[in-house]
Amino acid sequence: MSSPPDSPRAPGTPTSEEPKPTRRAAAFRPLRPTTVVQTNAMHRAVWINRPFYGVIYRSLRQPGYRFWLEVFAAQIVIVLIGLFLLEVVARQDRGLGLDLALQAVGLSIQERQCGAHSDWCRYLVAVLSFGQRVFEWVVSAVVIVRVFRGVARKRWRFDEKAVLIDGELKIRVASLKPGTILGLEFTVEAVVKPWRYVPLRLTNGGTLSLMADVAMLLRHPIDDESPFSSPSWRDEVRAVSITIMGYDQTINEHVMVNHLYLGPKDFVEGKRFSDANRMTDIGQEYATTHPTWTEGDAHPMVTSIFDYDRLDGVA
């Protein structure tokens, strides 16, 4: 008599032949940053990065004062390790070991010679000096990246909200740095349930020859192919991702930025952006009080100033 067939097994259920799933050891978890994206109230995406990448990620993302405090603390640790090795392994006096450790990392101008166990002492000083050079190279590279990253990251500013009005999705972005960006490329995508990326067509075709330090609108027409045309778009659209890339003439590098509008809380219907331009007569007042100005001369044009503090207004 043949045995009955096996009952259907739910996916993911381990069998006697399959190894049971095990958790990974969290040995480097403090150095492994987690990238979290909260798509809505019911879902959160988490990425756990590699340990070495975690150190660089931490150095680039943390505030400047904390970064320099950790660099200072790391330098002290290097000196203490050198002092310990010179005192224990090379049998140097504590004062001489401290002088040699400071000398190896370039923090002492007084030249001292090794005492007892001079061979071990010279080897340790050489290793400590090489470690200090590597430390300086890494810190210098991170500092350079932090400087240029800060310039590029603060190049643009987005409004906190995107608006839907006049049959369009409108997103306003301003350039915060003086100078011109050439060859801009805009990529706008909607993240639709479950996890489908839908490109959003822009009225300018997604490219722009140049952009100065002003604000502009990215306009997506809501037609039949747009995910915002559905009556249930608030339940279907998880987010809208905007990426801008261009060549910055000021730093002679390509810069880019990405911004995410999470739905539906970051979208406002039936309202417009408030005007961020404010008029001023500073130029006219200067002309009327200038000694060379005489009655009957034409007044200069009234100046229009773009107020970045008013970007987040929705009227």
Side-chain angles (χ1 to χ4, degrees):
M1 182 177 179
S2 62
S3 59
D6 295 337
S7 58
R9 180 171 58 89
T13 304
T15 61
S16 57
E17 295 81 7
E18 298 176 353
K20 294 183 178 181
T22 57
R23 283 190 173 185
R24 291 185 177 182
F28 294 93
R29 186 55 56 86
L31 299 179
R32 299 175 67 179
T34 55
T35 304
V36 181
V37 176
Q38 188 77 31
T39 56
N40 53 43
M42 301 297 295
H43 184 270
R44 181 176 62 179
V46 180
W47 290 267
I48 300 178
N49 300 290
R50 295 181 178 179
F52 180 77
Y53 175 78
V55 177
I56 304 301
Y57 183 90
R58 177 181 175 83
S59 301
L60 294 177
R61 298 286 293 184
Q62 63 185 345
Y65 75 92
R66 187 178 300 175
F67 168 75
W68 287 112
L69 285 177
E70 292 187 359
V71 170
F72 181 71
Q75 185 67 80
I76 294 177
V77 170
I78 293 176
V79 173
L80 293 178
I81 291 175
L83 172 61
F84 174 78
L85 294 176
L86 289 169
E87 187 177 355
V88 174
V89 178
R91 306 291 180 85
Q92 305 293 319
D93 296 335
R94 178 166 299 181
L96 179 59
L98 180 59
D99 289 342
L100 291 172
L102 292 174
Q103 177 180 318
V105 298
L107 298 178
S108 175
I109 61 175
Q110 181 180 4
E111 185 176 357
R112 299 294 297 270
Q113 302 295 328
C114 293
H117 298 80
S118 58
D119 292 339
W120 275 105
C121 178
R122 287 195 295 268
Y123 296 152
L124 291 175
V125 169
V127 172
L128 189 62
S129 300
F130 178 75
Q132 175 66 20
R133 298 291 87 76
V134 174
F135 176 72
E136 292 175 357
W137 297 336
V138 173
V139 172
S140 300
V142 173
V143 168
I144 294 174
V145 173
R146 282 181 64 94
V147 170
F148 283 96
R149 183 176 177 270
V151 172
R153 183 176 58 180
K154 299 178 181 179
R155 193 63 175 84
W156 289 286
R157 177 180 168 185
F158 289 83
D159 270 273
E160 290 184 358
K161 304 291 183 180
V163 299
L164 292 95
I165 193 170
D166 300 332
E168 292 181 332
L169 169 66
K170 298 182 179 181
I171 299 170
R172 186 165 62 175
V173 57
S175 175
L176 301 182
K177 301 288 184 179
T180 305
I181 306 294
L182 302 178
L184 287 104
E185 297 180 2
F186 306 96
T187 303
V188 183
E189 293 178 327
V191 184
V192 184
K193 287 184 178 181
W195 280 108
R196 185 166 56 92
Y197 288 81
V198 179
L200 300 183
R201 182 174 60 87
L202 300 177
T203 56
N204 61 358
T207 60
L208 193 65
S209 60
L210 60 89
M211 178 181 180
D213 49 344
V214 294
M216 65 173 298
L217 283 178
L218 301 179
R219 301 165 57 187
H220 162 65
I222 303 177
D223 50 18
D224 295 337
E225 299 180 355
S226 173
F228 290 93
S229 62
S230 173
S232 58
W233 70 266
R234 288 184 171 272
D235 297 327
E236 297 176 357
V237 178
R238 294 180 180 268
V240 170
S241 174
I242 306 99
T243 301
I244 303 177
M245 183 177 65
Y247 185 81
D248 192 334
Q249 285 188 316
T250 304
I251 61 176
N252 294 327
E253 292 288 344
H254 281 89
V255 294
M256 62 177 59
V257 66
N258 177 264
H259 190 77
L260 199 66
Y261 288 100
L262 301 179
K265 65 182 183 67
D266 289 343
F267 299 96
V268 179
E269 291 184 275
K271 293 188 176 182
R272 304 179 185 275
F273 290 117
S274 61
D275 190 6
N277 288 289
R278 57 185 177 90
M279 307 304 291
T280 176
D281 55 356
I282 296 177
Q284 185 171 347
E285 291 176 356
Y286 171 79
T288 56
T289 57
H290 198 273
T292 60
W293 183 84
T294 58
E295 190 70 28
D297 290 347
H299 290 282
M301 183 179 296
V302 178
T303 306
S304 176
I305 298 179
F306 192 82
D307 191 351
Y308 296 102
D309 294 332
R310 303 171 65 183
L311 268 183
D312 297 327
V314 177

